[in-house]
Amino acid sequence: MSFPEDFVWGAATSSYQIEGAASEGGRKPSIWDDFCNESGNILDGSNGDVACDHYDRFETDVQMMKDLGLKAYRFSIAWSRILSFGEGGEEEANPKGIEFYNKLIDLLISKDIEPWVTLYHWDLPSHLHKEEGGW
């Protein structure tokens, strides 16, 4: 079996399953944090607080992708990492969260790995769920 010449070899992740750093860089809880931290929902009680620690290890992770010869990386944006909520629930950009994704994208490009971004992968910020019922 052969693949077409324009076939793109890559990897894919979701932010909650890989990033960890649940309370670093201004990240706020998501609906997955709420679900996983509710007793009885997860058999062994595990959650995404640390996960694969991609937030702190993304440089090593990207180098592994390069070493594997991957040409694309599909990842999702954790809105709970890039949005903060000020007084009165007003949404504000979280500079540290935006910086993380900018660094990740810049590094991928520098390693000739095309970033493919999923804007929403079912990790709504808790605040939006509780106060607004969603987006």
Side-chain angles (χ1 to χ4, degrees):
M1 176 179 186
S2 61
F3 291 89
E5 255 185 61
D6 61 349
F7 186 85
V8 179
W9 288 99
T13 62
S14 79
S15 58
Y16 186 77
Q17 295 167 339
I18 193 169
E19 286 181 11
S23 58
E24 291 181 44
R27 183 185 177 277
K28 302 297 182 196
S30 76
I31 57 175
W32 275 111
D33 294 304
D34 297 341
F35 179 82
C36 292
N37 291 327
E38 189 174 312
S39 180
N41 284 344
I42 306 296
L43 185 62
D44 68 357
S46 61
N47 59 43
D49 288 358
V50 177
C52 299
D53 199 22
H54 183 63
Y55 181 83
D56 293 311
R57 300 177 183 200
F58 75 92
E59 292 160 326
T60 304
D61 294 342
V62 170
Q63 185 58 51
M64 284 191 279
M65 293 177 212
K66 177 69 175 174
D67 293 345
L68 285 168
L70 301 183
K71 297 297 182 190
Y73 176 45
R74 200 275 302 153
F75 60 95
S76 63
I77 300 287
W79 289 96
S80 57
R81 188 173 301 286
I82 64 170
L83 284 181
S84 296
F85 297 93
E87 297 295 320
E90 293 299 315
E91 295 141 358
E92 301 171 352
N94 173 17
K96 289 182 180 180
I98 293 169
E99 179 184 15
F100 166 70
Y101 291 111
N102 281 338
K103 285 181 175 180
L104 174 60
I105 290 167
D106 290 346
L107 184 59
L108 289 165
I109 292 169
S110 77
K111 301 286 186 181
D112 296 319
I113 300 170
E114 189 173 358
W116 292 1
V117 180
T118 299
L119 295 178
Y120 179 65
H121 199 245
W122 307 106
D123 62 343
L124 184 70
S126 293
H127 175 83
L128 284 176
H129 176 70
K130 292 173 184 170
E131 301 297 321
E132 306 293 333
W135 295 111

